[in-house]
Amino acid sequence: TDEALIAFDTLADRSRSLLSPSLRLGVTGLSRAGKTVFITSLIHNLIHGGRLPLFEAYQSGRISRSYLEPQPDDAIPRFQYEEHLQALINERIWPDSTRAISQLRITIDYQSASSWGRMLSAGKLSLDIVDYPGEWLLDLPLLGKSYKEFSADSFKLAQEATHRDLADKWLQAANLVHPSKPADEMTAQHLARVFTEYLRAGKADERALSTLPPGRFLMPGDLDGSPALTFAPLANLKQEDFTSGSLASMMERRYESYKTHVVKPFFREHIARLDRQIVLIDAMQALNSGGAVVADLERALTDILSCFRPGGSSLLTGLFQRRIGRILVAATKADHLHHESHDRLEAIVRRLVERAIQRADFSGADIDVLAMAAVRATREATVTQGKDVLPVIVGTPLKGEKINGEVFDGETETAIFPGDLPRNPNVIFEKNEAFHQDDALRFIRFRPPKIESTAEGIKLSLPHIRLDRALQFLIGDRLS
Ligand code: GDP
């Protein structure tokens, strides 16, 4: 059973960690939230002597060495740290984003802060970082739904005004088929394709309807094209439709396979074994796009946090013995703002998380929020305009980015007025608020920064904003 398997995994993990203490840190977030950049910068700063004043064990000199080691799980792809770092530092391009699960182990040799602790422990902690798409977490509710319910829910949502036009092609195709007719692979493939296109269009669209499952339809990993992903909801299902050999039965079987062979193993083998979790959110992009996208981000965050809810969820009982004790929700890309706005961004994220926690009926794990930039692509300066001294950020906009009709070539440094966040975070959540129309952020993407070298020609580590606070919250207590 699932329970026995988890108990076994947990036991195996525990006995391993008696020999050599380890901590599993999950890194997630919807696509392009900044997972790859975060992990690369965290590792680089740890092994390359980064500036991390608020990471206590490091700052006080108790960490003697951090180094990469082979990961314990042979079946999970390794996080391609070296490749990503090369892209960031040498080519100054952003690395390829997360498309599936991957893992990396970094081991930290440290000295305990207390003399008692120094006698007791060997002072070695292996941090297993697990990177995975947040989209996959959105499948959890499916475990509690039959194929009929999943179909009915999908059609109901597609009829809503916000979804209707995007869903049109799929709805038309779905209305042409008869669920009770004999199953046919071409029909199944066609329906799965137009349904997937609808889900992906919702995500690409500025309305960003990113929260629709099945998650692997958005982010298939290595399952692209497999039968477990070749299904779609069917309209007006009746019990009589589920006769042997009918299209409805075939779709139902594949939906159940998806749950059994894709969703459950993912939660059991990966999520159930995490000790700590960071959830990255692209709040800057949401704020830049306006109210509907902020609302969608809140919904996605609610669904994601529900997966980590201790105890409560019946869907997970048995499947999932909770271990996660600390969750950090971090808004990345704070380097698009002047530092005066960093605390404001954090206040907005705090409100977002409070609302999500309330909706997810969440309590138990220790949750904190942070506005950060895993890699700081800009620096701050001021510009004098008449009598006013105005704060600006300076960076190299990516090739093709535009401001006021000017198109950038990807080589030229430019100063930009970053725009302000409101002092009162509630403003973001109130409908009909002028913020989105008038004061929208001027959000353009920058190239990764040029890394300075020391006089001896040694390259410095990747600059960041508040990465040290993230480390302190996520692993600081295990290095005390
Ligand atoms: P993933 O899909 O979650 O792995 O997202 P990535 O880590 O690939 O990040 C997506 C994009 O966001 C990158 O290509 C960058 O353009 C941008 N980005 C991510 N983190 C930062 C950051 O700390 N600062 C800045 N300026 N941009 C970032």
Side-chain angles (χ1 to χ4, degrees):
T1 67
D2 288 326
E3 270 151 280
L5 282 169
I6 292 181
F8 181 76
D9 278 350
T10 308
L11 210 64
D13 279 355
R14 294 244 165 89
S15 53
R16 257 201 306 267
S17 55
L18 276 180
L19 298 171
S20 128
S22 70
L23 192 70
R24 290 176 90 85
L25 167 65
V27 179
T28 198
L30 296 179
S31 133
R32 307 205 61 76
K35 299 179 287 294
T36 309
V37 174
F38 172 79
I39 297 170
T40 308
S41 181
L42 181 149
I43 301 277
H44 189 245
N45 273 283
L46 276 178
I47 62 186
H48 207 78
R51 226 184 71 78
L52 303 166
L54 296 180
F55 182 30
E56 191 275 328
Y58 180 93
Q59 182 65 14
S60 62
R62 290 194 289 110
I63 293 183
S64 54
R65 193 162 76 103
S66 305
Y67 47 98
L68 296 180
E69 281 197 308
Q71 66 197 44
D73 307 274
D74 293 333
I76 307 177
R78 181 175 181 276
F79 179 85
Q80 294 298 342
Y81 167 71
E82 294 79 3
E83 236 169 67
H84 297 325
L85 186 69
Q86 151 91 13
L88 270 172
I89 290 195
N90 295 348
E91 299 169 53
R92 286 184 67 202
I93 54 173
W94 296 105
D96 289 340
S97 298
T98 302
R99 308 211 57 83
I101 190 163
S102 69
Q103 193 185 45
L104 192 67
R105 165 170 282 201
I106 178 167
T107 297
I108 301 171
D109 288 346
Y110 70 100
Q111 255 199 342
S112 174
S114 69
S115 48
W116 187 226
R118 275 198 292 277
M119 271 167 63
L120 279 179
S121 86
K124 189 197 268 283
L125 178 72
S126 292
L127 183 64
D128 289 311
I129 301 177
V130 183
D131 174 27
Y132 64 92
E135 283 80 0
W136 294 4
L137 291 174
L138 304 177
D139 278 336
L140 183 66
L142 297 186
L143 293 181
K145 282 186 197 174
S146 69
Y147 174 65
K148 245 175 105 180
E149 289 166 322
F150 160 70
S151 287
D153 289 354
S154 302
F155 277 97
K156 197 162 143 231
L157 201 63
Q159 307 290 352
E160 281 181 14
T162 41
H163 293 62
R164 186 65 232 219
D165 57 325
L166 297 175
D168 218 34
K169 199 168 155 204
W170 164 58
L171 289 174
Q172 275 180 23
N175 283 325
L176 287 177
V177 302
H178 298 283
S180 59
K181 287 270 168 67
D184 153 40
E185 184 62 36
M186 289 303 114
T187 309
Q189 281 188 18
H190 179 65
L191 284 178
R193 191 166 55 244
V194 285
F195 180 61
T196 305
E197 277 166 14
Y198 152 56
L199 298 184
R200 292 201 180 145
K203 218 171 126 75
D205 190 77
E206 57 176 9
R207 286 167 283 178
L209 309 168
S210 51
T211 53
L212 298 183
R216 302 282 164 135
F217 283 45
L218 296 169
M219 201 45 93
D222 53 6
L223 288 173
D224 215 354
S226 68
L229 259 58
T230 312
F231 67 90
L234 290 171
N236 306 318
L237 285 169
K238 289 181 272 318
Q239 213 46 51
E240 309 87 89
D241 296 330
F242 292 93
T243 50
S244 157
S246 73
L247 184 65
S249 297
M250 177 202 205
M251 292 289 200
E252 181 182 43
R253 195 177 60 246
R254 289 183 176 181
Y255 171 80
E256 291 301 332
S257 290
Y258 180 74
K259 286 179 8 186
T260 312
H261 299 300
V262 180
V263 183
K264 277 193 186 178
F266 170 64
F267 279 92
R268 188 179 62 217
E269 287 159 24
H270 302 299
I271 306 304
R273 293 169 64 201
L274 298 174
D275 302 299
R276 304 280 155 97
Q277 176 68 53
I278 179 168
V279 179
L280 296 168
I281 57 173
D282 194 349
M284 295 296 299
Q285 182 63 49
L287 292 171
N288 197 50
S289 309
V293 180
V294 174
D296 188 71
L297 179 61
E298 183 180 321
R299 213 165 26 238
L301 192 58
T302 306
D303 292 347
I304 288 175
L305 289 180
S306 308
C307 297
F308 306 128
R309 179 170 48 200
S313 166
S314 57
L315 295 178
L316 291 174
T317 330
L319 186 64
F320 205 154
Q321 265 185 358
R322 198 105 11 194
R323 300 216 311 216
I324 295 177
R326 286 189 178 193
I327 303 173
L328 182 63
V329 180
T332 48
K333 313 178 192 180
D335 55 329
H336 287 94
L337 295 169
H338 199 262
H339 73 263
E340 283 157 10
S341 281
H342 292 165
D343 287 340
R344 296 186 188 178
L345 179 60
E346 215 160 277
I348 291 169
V349 177
R350 193 173 299 280
R351 269 312 278 141
L352 201 66
V353 170
E354 277 167 8
R355 290 162 65 104
I357 287 177
Q358 220 164 29
R359 284 170 54 159
D361 197 11
F362 190 99
S363 65
D366 196 357
I367 300 193
D368 203 1
V369 302
L370 186 63
M372 66 175 293
V375 170
R376 174 177 203 154
T378 65
R379 59 194 160 78
E380 296 187 350
T382 50
V383 165
T384 313
Q385 253 183 13
K387 279 189 293 213
D388 297 327
V389 180
L390 300 169
V392 291
I393 54 171
V394 181
T396 310
L398 284 182
K399 192 173 173 192
E401 291 283 339
K402 289 182 214 137
I403 309 179
N404 302 334
E406 185 182 353
V407 184
F408 293 97
D409 61 1
E411 302 295 335
T412 320
E413 259 208 347
T414 310
I416 287 161
F417 295 107
D420 261 345
L421 291 177
R423 211 177 282 275
N424 175 0
N426 290 329
V427 165
I428 302 288
F429 302 95
E430 285 156 16
K431 291 223 159 62
N432 309 321
E433 178 49 51
F435 172 75
H436 304 299
Q437 285 89 53
D438 301 340
D439 304 315
L441 295 165
R442 267 137 294 196
F443 183 91
I444 60 165
R445 293 176 63 210
F446 295 97
R447 275 184 78 177
K450 200 179 255 147
I451 307 295
E452 309 291 334
S453 303
T454 61
E456 295 83 45
I458 300 166
K459 284 217 166 179
L460 298 178
S461 52
L462 286 162
H464 63 85
I465 297 170
R466 298 182 178 176
L467 182 64
D468 46 347
R469 272 187 47 195
L471 275 164
Q472 180 63 25
F473 177 76
L474 290 168
I475 63 171
D477 62 314
R478 291 293 300 267
L479 300 168
S480 62

